[in-house]
Amino acid sequence: MDMYTNEFSNDEITVTYEPSVCIHAEKCAKQLSNVFRTSIIPWINLDNAETNSIINQIKKCPSGALKYHKNENKKAS
């Protein structure tokens, strides 16, 4: 059985998704569809928006299925 990871990272943050917690309100996909894409695997693409926009959207998740943490080893610009 294939297991898909539910952790997505860019240089600044790592986003985790817990499908068993998700209530499928679809706020993420409706409000930031360029990042949270329900018809594509992997369904989260952190390169499609600024990190602050992604963080703000994660904070709106009604179930708490989406979480994030800032990466400690951010690459130098």
Side-chain angles (χ1 to χ4, degrees):
M1 178 202 288
D2 288 338
M3 295 297 290
Y4 294 102
T5 182
N6 290 312
E7 185 174 286
F8 308 86
S9 295
N10 65 16
D11 290 342
E12 298 178 34
I13 62 171
T14 296
V15 174
T16 58
Y17 169 64
E18 294 181 58
S20 63
V21 175
C22 184
I23 61 171
H24 304 286
E26 297 183 3
K27 283 189 173 197
C28 56
K30 289 177 182 174
Q31 296 176 355
L32 197 59
S33 62
N34 54 332
V35 173
F36 301 99
R37 308 157 310 158
T38 58
S39 61
I40 300 171
I41 296 175
W43 77 280
I44 297 176
N45 185 340
L46 301 179
D47 294 330
N48 286 345
E50 292 186 16
T51 297
N52 286 336
S53 296
I54 297 168
I55 290 171
N56 288 335
Q57 190 60 49
I58 290 169
K59 289 179 179 180
K60 296 177 187 175
C61 180
S63 66
L66 291 169
K67 294 183 173 61
Y68 77 95
H69 66 268
K70 293 187 178 182
N71 297 335
E72 293 181 21
N73 296 325
K74 183 179 172 186
K75 294 180 181 178
S77 301

